Amino acid sequence: MAAHPETTAQTLSWKVGGMDCASCAAKIRGAVERLPGVSDVRLSVMSETLTLALGPGATTPEAIEKRVNGLGYTTAALATPATAHPAAEQDACGCGHDHGGHAHDHDRKHDHSGHDHAGHDHAPKGAKSAAAAKDHGHGLPGHVHEATPDGASWYQTAKGRLVIATGLFLGAAYAAGLIWPGIGHWAFILACVVGVAPVARRAFAAARAGIPFTIEMLMTIAAIGALFIGAAEEAALVVFLFAVGEVLEGVAADRARASIRALGDLVPKTAIVEENGATRQVDAASLRIGQVVLVRPGDRIPADGEITDGTSGIDESPVTGESVPKTKGVGEPVYAGSVNREAALRVRVDKAAEDNTIARIIRLVEEAQEARAPTERFIDRFSRWYMPAIVGLAVLVALVPPLLLGAEWSVWIYRALALLLIGCPCALVISVPAAIAAALSAGARQGLLMKGGVVIETAAKTGLVAFDKTGTLTQGKPRVTDVVALTGSEAEVLAFAAAVEHGSSHPLAEAVLERTRTDGIAYKPAAEAAALAGQGVTGKVDGRAVFVGAPRHAESRAPFDKRARMAAEELEAAGKTVAAVIVDGALAGFIALRDEPREDAAAAIAELKAMGIRSTMLTGDNARTGAAIAAGLGMEHKAELMPDDKVAAIKAFSGETAVMMVGDGINDAPALAAASIGIAMGSGTDVALETADGAVLKSRVRDVAALIRLARAAMGNIRTNIAIALGLKAVFLVTSVLGYTGLWVAILADTGATVIVTANALRLLRFDAGKAS
């Protein structure tokens, strides 16, 4: 880490091993923020990184590493961006990498429960530290869920090796007891000491940091207490089962990360850059905007960009989930991680590696991990007083019966120790973040992004979905829906229109030209083509004068009979834009155009209705078009709305129920921010994606229902987990006090509950949100 000028602060980053939940991150933050000169502490659970600003002449990087390592976590320094003042703009993902100057609005949107997204705390530093000091229980310093390194098995981790060593010593103790009964007791003591030593070391490190009530401390007290009352065999078994539980938790957490790591692996490591007619292979991460890369058939595209040469089928399923390859040519966008199936392409890089589509997905999911759900925060607050209460109850169980009733000390101390073990809140505290992490990962794989637990909770409560029209419910560009020929054939009407519209970039002209290409209609570009401002276009086709424009302007050029007027009015009543085609002063026919609903829009509205959710369309389009589109989809609507009108409508709806807003454009950003939850279409603008709380990357309307379905499944999973955790605690707390269950049953119940809720949460990884229940 290079020295920096005295007037600035270093921005430093570390990879932190063992940080598997939001509580772990909070405890690291609390411990590190107490060090002099440390500010702007940011942690990302999904990427396991710690980033902070370190002032000059205060704490050294080595001291920070020592503090984190002392809490039982591992650290490895990462390359960091240039020195930055603590108040300077920071990247939003908390991963410590320079995102190419791509600024994220740190005040983009606070969730409605008061918790800030992406782990950016806006509370005073002192307040955060105080809160961290009080946050006892699962995930505290010392209570480490060690992540399995990429490509490594569980037994290659320190936790895994401890399980193996403790298991071997425990097995050897049982064997020794059978062969040499006299030394069996001492063998169990040795097995217990081997297993509990690292746990005790972490427990005392946490206590020195001012956090005495940790599961490690309870485990240490229980194990040492059991040895003193002669229960060495049970003490050794308890320590072994505890170690097994920790390994299982770490493996489960890594499973949730694996799907996100797999996304990152989609982008190729190298790219072929073409410069001055020559090609060379470079690191894909080093690609610069404006460079041209050669993508051969079968290769993955190394960067987001635009095709400059070639036409090929592009398999975008790794990015969007769409199973059918799309044929793309010059001028069309492509995404990093997509597969070029057919022919060589040249692609101009439009976005740096850190800002490509996949990097943004990963960054959004990482940020989401820091936005904790209200349920999770409540359980954290609950555990702060729960742990001391359990310790106090255990003390009473150990002292009151012997002192007041003359009961046997060893019996009631044993029961108190069992109570300490069963009282561990691990299963309860992990029940929410495990389900949230699994749901976020499952959603990311299916193209459904949600920025944290609070978004999942809010989405599950959605009672009304408000859709923008253009680009959300519709394709975002008009197409020809009807051709009415009054003289001649429909093909002739289209050919005359295409002839005078040839070369125009107007959306309506492009729609007419697209229809002629689709129908295979040949035409010759018009001579003397000209645009008449506010009226239409004119030109000559084989010497015949042609005009294409709105019916009200066309009537001055050709007579309209009753049939013609009725046809035009009928098309306009359906919310369609009508163009009249006049040839040599006679009306040849009409062409109707409309931005049509997406193919799945009607099915999506039906699915939402079946789920008990209302749908409404908010559009700035005219009332007639809005009514026609809404009627065809079977939904409510409000038309002719400006952006501030949409915000007002959202606020009015919010007084009745939780509102989800779905949009794609810059004009949708205020409404997305005003809604209980804002969802951006994946094909939308960067502004919409940044403002929103989530996104549907496949740009399918049905994915809105899928996202809500996933959120509901996650909340159902969380409720089940909490019921399991609390139910088992209640049963075994009673049986432990009454003496029906001993130490090993207590720890087995605790570990079992943790494993059950974790396994239940991991079921969400296989949840298919696209299937209507």
Side-chain angles (χ1 to χ4, degrees):
M1 307 262 179
H4 293 273
E6 289 298 309
T7 56
T8 59
Q10 291 176 280
T11 298
L12 307 176
S13 292
W14 290 268
K15 183 85 169 178
V16 181
M19 183 171 59
D20 284 349
C21 63
S23 293
C24 296
K27 302 314 156 301
I28 294 173
R29 178 184 287 112
V32 171
E33 280 181 339
R34 295 190 182 96
L35 297 173
V38 173
S39 62
D40 197 23
V41 178
R42 289 167 286 134
L43 295 110
S44 171
V45 175
M46 188 62 77
S47 59
E48 299 177 284
T49 54
L50 161 66
T51 304
L52 53 81
L54 181 61
T59 306
T60 65
E62 291 74 21
I64 294 171
E65 292 178 6
K66 184 177 180 181
R67 172 63 63 93
V68 176
N69 293 340
L71 300 175
Y73 301 91
T74 61
T75 55
L78 297 173
T80 57
T83 301
H85 192 275
E89 179 179 79
Q90 303 290 341
D91 84 316
C93 73
C95 62
H97 299 301
D98 179 5
H99 290 292
H102 181 67
H104 297 275
D105 183 358
H106 283 209
D107 295 318
R108 175 177 63 252
K109 180 159 186 219
H110 296 295
D111 64 54
H112 296 270
S113 60
H115 182 74
D116 297 322
H117 286 283
H120 293 291
D121 291 311
H122 296 270
K125 292 289 190 286
K128 285 191 289 181
S129 298
K134 294 178 183 176
D135 195 359
H136 307 306
H138 183 87
L140 288 176
H143 186 70
V144 181
H145 316 284
E146 177 159 334
T148 306
D150 296 357
S153 300
W154 67 269
Y155 53 80
Q156 294 175 294
T157 67
K159 294 289 185 184
R161 290 192 293 271
L162 178 62
V163 166
I164 294 171
T166 307
L168 289 175
F169 273 98
L170 186 62
Y174 275 114
L178 292 175
I179 300 172
W180 303 289
I183 67 169
H185 176 74
W186 296 104
F188 281 116
I189 291 177
L190 178 61
C192 178
V193 170
V194 168
V196 84
V199 178
R201 189 163 54 246
R202 299 201 303 271
F204 289 119
R208 285 194 299 272
I211 312 170
F213 297 109
T214 64
I215 176 55
E216 280 75 16
M217 185 61 77
L218 300 189
M219 176 59 57
T220 302
I221 293 171
I224 294 174
L227 292 180
F228 273 104
I229 63 173
E233 180 178 343
E234 287 188 277
L237 183 58
V238 161
V239 171
F240 172 69
L241 291 175
F242 175 75
V244 170
E246 284 208 318
V247 167
L248 290 176
E249 288 179 26
V251 170
D254 201 58
R255 282 276 306 276
R257 285 197 189 102
S259 61
I260 302 303
R261 283 200 300 265
L263 277 176
D265 292 340
L266 290 175
V267 181
K269 304 303 180 189
T270 60
I272 301 174
V273 173
E274 191 171 78
E275 293 174 333
N276 302 321
T279 60
R280 60 189 177 91
Q281 186 167 292
V282 301
D283 185 349
S286 68
L287 289 173
R288 300 187 306 276
I289 294 174
Q291 286 186 307
V292 175
V293 295
L294 174 65
V295 185
R296 299 167 299 190
D299 285 354
R300 288 190 183 274
I301 295 171
D304 283 11
E306 184 179 292
I307 298 173
T308 60
D309 180 51
T311 301
S312 180
I314 307 296
D315 178 5
E316 296 182 343
S317 60
V319 181
T320 66
E322 292 289 353
S323 56
V324 180
K326 293 182 179 178
T327 299
K328 292 193 172 186
V330 174
E332 294 189 89
V334 291
Y335 307 111
S338 303
V339 180
N340 178 21
R341 290 295 185 193
E342 297 167 3
L345 295 173
R346 286 173 177 80
V347 176
R348 184 181 65 247
V349 177
D350 283 348
K351 291 185 178 178
E354 57 269 21
D355 282 326
N356 67 39
T357 302
I358 287 180
R360 288 171 65 193
I361 293 172
I362 293 172
R363 189 157 63 238
L364 285 171
V365 176
E366 287 175 355
E367 290 174 6
Q369 287 290 304
E370 309 308 323
R372 298 189 300 163
T375 302
E376 184 179 351
R377 293 197 299 277
F378 169 77
I379 288 177
D380 278 354
R381 291 194 299 269
F382 172 77
S383 67
R384 291 174 194 170
W385 62 261
Y386 172 83
M387 288 285 281
I390 285 294
V391 173
L393 181 60
V395 171
L396 291 177
V397 168
L399 297 179
V400 172
L403 291 177
L404 299 184
L405 305 176
E408 190 175 343
W409 280 98
S410 61
V411 170
W412 287 96
I413 289 175
Y414 181 88
R415 292 181 183 182
L417 296 176
L419 180 63
L420 277 181
L421 293 180
I422 196 60
C424 167
C426 286
L428 178 62
V429 177
I430 202 175
S431 60
V432 179
I436 295 294
L440 292 172
S441 298
R445 285 205 316 275
Q446 297 174 57
L448 310 172
L449 289 185
M450 290 178 280
K451 298 180 181 178
V454 66
V455 175
I456 290 176
E457 284 203 27
T458 308
K461 298 174 184 174
T462 298
L464 181 144
V465 179
F467 291 92
D468 172 53
K469 180 181 78 73
T470 306
T472 301
L473 285 173
T474 66
Q475 297 285 354
K477 59 180 181 179
R479 65 183 181 87
V480 174
T481 59
D482 305 88
V483 179
V484 178
L486 299 175
T487 60
S489 66
E490 292 183 3
E492 287 176 332
V493 173
L494 280 169
F496 279 122
V500 295
E501 297 282 16
H502 182 81
S504 172
S505 60
H506 191 281
L508 297 181
E510 290 179 345
V512 171
L513 296 172
E514 177 64 29
R515 177 64 179 266
T516 59
R517 284 193 293 268
T518 302
D519 291 356
I521 297 172
Y523 67 89
K524 183 167 66 175
E528 302 177 22
L532 303 178
Q535 296 187 42
V537 291
T538 62
K540 288 192 174 182
V541 181
D542 293 330
R544 305 176 73 181
V546 178
F547 169 83
V548 178
R552 65 179 181 277
H553 298 300
E555 282 195 84
S556 63
R557 296 172 178 269
F560 277 40
D561 59 19
K562 183 177 180 181
R563 176 191 170 201
R565 286 195 180 90
M566 287 182 62
E569 289 171 2
E570 184 179 335
L571 292 170
E572 288 179 336
K576 298 175 182 179
T577 299
V578 180
V581 180
I582 308 294
V583 180
D584 281 341
L587 178 61
F590 297 110
I591 298 175
L593 306 96
R594 191 170 71 177
D595 182 10
E596 289 291 271
R598 295 178 185 269
E599 292 180 1
D600 66 334
I605 303 305
E607 282 186 30
L608 289 171
K609 188 175 182 180
M611 295 166 68
I613 299 171
R614 292 166 54 202
S615 301
T616 188
M617 180 177 72
L618 304 180
T619 178
D621 213 334
N622 66 74
R624 190 159 51 185
T625 300
I629 295 289
L633 297 177
M635 63 191 304
E636 306 166 28
H637 78 284
K638 288 180 180 290
E640 300 181 359
L641 301 179
M642 297 296 287
D644 54 341
D645 296 325
K646 291 184 180 181
V647 171
I650 290 292
K651 289 181 177 178
F653 287 132
S654 297
E656 307 168 15
T657 185
V659 178
M660 174 184 289
M661 174 68 194
V662 185
D664 75 317
I666 291 175
N667 65 323
D668 297 324
L672 290 171
S676 307
I677 172 175
I679 300 297
M681 297 294 277
S683 59
T685 64
D686 286 351
V687 173
L689 290 172
E690 291 297 335
T691 304
D693 298 302
V696 287
L697 298 181
K698 300 177 188 176
S699 294
R700 294 194 313 211
V701 186
R702 288 187 66 187
D703 279 354
V704 174
L707 186 145
I708 296 174
R709 202 175 289 120
L710 175 61
R712 288 182 174 182
M715 293 310 299
N717 189 286
I718 286 170
R719 286 190 288 270
T720 301
N721 279 350
I722 292 173
I724 291 171
L726 290 178
L728 286 174
K729 294 294 177 202
V731 170
F732 284 98
L733 279 173
V734 173
T735 58
S736 295
V737 172
L738 297 178
Y740 293 117
T741 51
L743 289 180
W744 71 272
V745 175
I747 192 63
L748 187 60
D750 175 67
T751 300
T754 302
V755 172
I756 289 170
V757 300
T758 303
N760 186 46
L762 290 178
R763 287 173 50 241
L764 287 170
L765 290 173
R766 299 191 300 274
F767 183 78
D768 185 356
K771 284 186 178 179
S773 54

